[in-house]
Every structure is written in structure tokens, then in C-alpha cells.
């Protein structure tokens, strides 16, 4: 079993930055895929960013060039650095890890970007 604990959400003005953190406890391998999803109000959850083997990354087109995902393998922690935030980035952000074929989710952290 794995537990994911997120932190770093909050309220920020448009153009500002936030960094989300997610610490994984339990048996986690460096090769496990970790990432971030988000769910805006009234919309479906969407994939924001993934990181594999600690270096290979994928991003939602809407955040490319603004968000950066990274991982500290020694701490089993994944980060999402969010710059140039826009109101449309407002959502609950969920940390995610895929262990073989089993997905695990964090409890979610609210990000609100004001105009």
C-alpha cells in the first residue's frame, strides 16, 4: 500500500507561482510513474504532468512551458512547479502514482488563481 500526502496549494494572483509537493510512503520504486492530475469545478479530471524514471516527462498542452514536474527519488517526493498561473488553472490538484497496474491518489489540494 502507498499513501500520498500533498501540500503547497493555495490562492495566488494571475501571473504568480506555486509549488506543489507530494510525498509517497510505502514501497515505491524509482521506476514507478508519478504525476499530477487536476479537476476544475464542474469538469472532468485531467492529466497535467507525468514523470517516469525520474526524468522522462509529459505535459498537458495547456501547461507546457509554464509547469515543471520533478522528482526527488531519495525522498519519494514529486513536485509540480507552476509559473505564470492563469485563472483557468484553478482546480483541485491530485498527486498520482502508478504501481505496476494499480493507481493511487492523494487527497487533493486546492489551487485558486484570481484575476
Amino acid at each position: 500500500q502507498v499513501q500520498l500526502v500533498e501540500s503547497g496549494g493555495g490562492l495566488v494572483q494571475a501571473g504568480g507561482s506555486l509549488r506543489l509537493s507530494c510525498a509517497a510512503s510505502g514501497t515505491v520504486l524509482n521506476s514507478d510513474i508519478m504525476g499530477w492530475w487536476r479537476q476544475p469545478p464542474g469538469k472532468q479530471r485531467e492529466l497535467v504532468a507525468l514523470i517516469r524514471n525520474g526524468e522522462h516527462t509529459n505535459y498537458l498542452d495547456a501547461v507546457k512551458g509554464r509547469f515543471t514536474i520533478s522528482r526527488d527519488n531519495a525522498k519519494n517526493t514529486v513536485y509540480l512547479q507552476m509559473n505564470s498561473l492563469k485563472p483557468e488553472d484553478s482546480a483541485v490538484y491530485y498527486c498520482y502514482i502508478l504501481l505496476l497496474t494499480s493507481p493511487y491518489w492523494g487527497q487533493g489540494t486546492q489551487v485558486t488563481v484570481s484575476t
Side-chain angles (χ1 to χ4, degrees):
Q1 293 291 327
V2 173
Q3 286 191 321
L4 302 173
V5 179
E6 300 135 334
S7 60
L11 173 64
V12 65
Q13 287 189 328
S17 299
L18 283 174
R19 188 173 87 150
L20 305 182
S21 300
C22 172
S25 61
T27 303
V28 177
L29 301 176
N30 293 342
S31 59
D32 291 324
I33 295 172
M34 297 190 75
W36 292 91
W37 293 65
R38 69 184 182 187
Q39 188 163 17
K43 297 184 179 180
Q44 290 187 331
R45 194 174 295 190
E46 61 184 0
L47 177 62
V48 177
L50 286 177
I51 186 165
R52 290 171 283 191
N53 294 323
E55 58 180 356
H56 302 290
T57 59
N58 295 91
Y59 294 95
L60 179 70
D61 284 347
V63 307
K64 284 180 180 177
R66 300 188 297 122
F67 291 11
T68 302
I69 189 170
S70 61
R71 179 173 175 173
D72 184 332
N73 290 332
K75 297 180 179 179
N76 280 341
T77 299
V78 65
Y79 304 96
L80 186 67
Q81 178 67 44
M82 305 185 293
N83 298 328
S84 302
L85 282 161
K86 304 176 180 180
E88 52 264 42
D89 294 318
S90 296
V92 177
Y93 283 70
Y94 297 91
C95 180
Y96 162 88
I97 187 168
L98 183 65
L99 302 182
L100 295 180
T101 59
S102 298
Y104 293 86
W105 302 88
Q107 79 283 0
T109 185
Q110 178 70 48
V111 171
T112 303
V113 184
S114 64
T115 55

